[in-house]
Amino acid sequence: MAPKEKKSCGQILGEWGEFLWNSRTGEFMGRTGSSWGLILLFYTFFYVFLTGLFTLTMWVLLQTINEYTPKYQDRIVHPGLMIRPRTEGLTVTFNVSDRASWQSYVTALNAYLDPYNESVQASKNDVCRPGVYHLQEDSGNVRNTPKRSCQFNRTLLGECSGLEDRTYGYGEGRPCILIKLNRIIGFLPGEGKTPFISCGGKASDSEKVHELQYFPPNATLDLMYYPYYGRQSHVNYTQPLIAVKFRNVSTNTDVNVECKVYGSNLKNNDDRDKFAGRVAFILHVKTT
């Protein structure tokens, strides 16, 4: 078998040049002008069709979405609880004599409670009738927006308001923790009866929590702050808070604390969801 003749560099370049433009057949990259025209026409119509199909699909999807209320909320049946100040790992630890160890908590609480100042609440929100739901339903297709919110002044938090004690108790080893019930659009907690929050030490740590004080008294979440209608509708919504002041707690050791909300339609004992209706955190007050 005769060896294959090796092409020179000039021959290779010539073949590439003929492939790019063949003057004898009038072909560009192996196709005539009419062939290229048909291909471009096909892909133009093809991508126009895809664009139109995508646009139509998105338009149909958007018709099913309510900008004020999520279509599906079945995965969030029972609201959970959360604490402030927000901490990593839900652990509040500080040394009473070391201001730097607790100043960040004070700063975070000040920032969080700024919207609860009496002047802000008076200018944005209404004085509502306590003990009843503040219902503001729409009238058919006529939206009742924006929804009005009820005032919650930080003065209701008493010794944990940051107005009387600027350190929220951290400077004396009696820290304040704020508890809030997570928001669910349209949810009516308590089914007409005022829900409340209770805290204590978990299991073996129950003896480490000796004295607590709640603000407002009885740790109740007034019905007038519900229902919540969503961020778009309830633009100035002020979430009610419960402040827990740990007046007497074991020091220099981890104290596992659990707070639960109680109400007829509020669950706090579901083993499958340890965050429903409750929150657990660690409190460690150092005095040495």
Side-chain angles (χ1 to χ4, degrees):
M1 183 176 179
K4 188 175 181 181
E5 183 180 353
K6 186 177 181 180
K7 296 181 180 179
S8 66
C9 181
Q11 289 176 318
I12 295 175
L13 291 176
E15 290 177 355
W16 270 103
E18 187 175 355
F19 169 73
L20 291 174
W21 172 248
N22 191 324
S23 58
R24 292 181 291 101
T25 59
E27 294 178 344
F28 175 70
M29 295 183 70
R31 292 183 179 275
T32 62
S34 59
S35 177
W36 278 115
L38 290 173
I39 289 176
L40 291 175
L41 185 63
F42 168 78
Y43 280 106
T44 298
F45 279 104
F46 177 69
Y47 284 113
V48 167
F49 170 77
L50 288 182
T51 303
L53 181 62
F54 176 77
T55 303
L56 177 63
T57 303
M58 291 301 298
W59 180 83
V60 172
L61 176 64
L62 290 174
Q63 302 314 300
T64 67
I65 296 177
N66 188 321
E67 64 176 309
Y68 296 98
T69 306
K71 188 175 181 64
Y72 300 105
Q73 300 187 79
D74 54 324
R75 294 188 64 183
I76 307 176
V77 181
H78 303 286
L81 297 179
M82 187 47 66
I83 67 169
R84 291 293 184 273
R86 188 195 299 270
T87 63
E88 185 175 350
L90 293 177
T91 300
V92 179
T93 178
F94 64 97
N95 191 317
V96 177
S97 59
D98 181 9
R99 186 181 185 91
S101 69
W102 49 262
Q103 183 59 49
S104 60
Y105 298 145
V106 173
T107 302
L109 288 172
N110 283 334
Y112 186 75
L113 290 177
D114 273 347
Y116 290 85
N117 287 332
E118 188 172 359
S119 58
V120 177
Q121 291 295 308
S123 64
K124 292 184 177 181
N125 295 338
D126 296 340
V127 176
C128 301
R129 178 185 171 191
V132 294
Y133 294 122
H134 190 51
L135 300 173
Q136 304 171 78
E137 302 298 335
D138 298 328
S139 178
N141 294 326
V142 179
R143 304 203 67 88
N144 179 20
T145 54
K147 311 290 187 184
R148 298 295 298 172
S149 300
C150 297
Q151 292 184 20
F152 188 100
N153 295 318
R154 64 190 295 177
T155 53
L156 294 172
L157 301 178
E159 295 179 27
C160 292
S161 66
L163 301 175
E164 301 174 9
D165 178 6
R166 298 290 184 179
T167 70
Y168 298 91
Y170 288 86
E172 57 182 9
R174 298 178 178 180
C176 289
I177 302 293
L178 305 183
I179 312 292
K180 68 184 186 72
L181 181 68
N182 291 340
R183 293 172 287 188
I184 296 181
I185 295 177
F187 184 66
L188 298 174
E191 295 182 322
K193 296 182 179 180
T194 305
F196 66 94
I197 288 174
S198 180
C199 300
K202 291 183 64 177
S204 60
D205 286 355
S206 59
E207 300 299 323
K208 295 180 180 180
V209 179
H210 309 295
E211 183 183 357
L212 297 176
Q213 186 175 5
Y214 297 97
F215 303 95
N218 302 322
T220 55
L221 296 165
D222 200 289
L223 300 182
M224 67 179 176
Y225 299 106
Y226 303 98
Y228 171 62
Y229 288 100
R231 184 176 298 178
Q232 290 286 84
S233 298
H234 237 151
V235 291
N236 293 322
Y237 180 72
T238 302
Q239 197 164 6
L241 303 171
I242 300 298
V244 186
K245 188 176 183 67
F246 290 82
R247 287 197 169 276
N248 189 354
V249 63
S250 295
T251 58
N252 303 310
T253 183
D254 284 349
V255 180
N256 290 281
V257 181
E258 185 174 56
C259 296
K260 295 183 178 182
V261 61
Y262 294 86
S264 59
N265 59 345
L266 295 163
K267 286 188 177 181
N268 58 29
N269 56 358
D270 190 346
D271 292 334
R272 295 173 299 177
D273 187 352
K274 297 186 180 297
F275 295 97
R278 53 186 166 175
V279 62
F281 59 95
I282 297 174
L283 179 63
H284 192 133
V285 181
K286 300 177 183 178
T287 58
T288 58

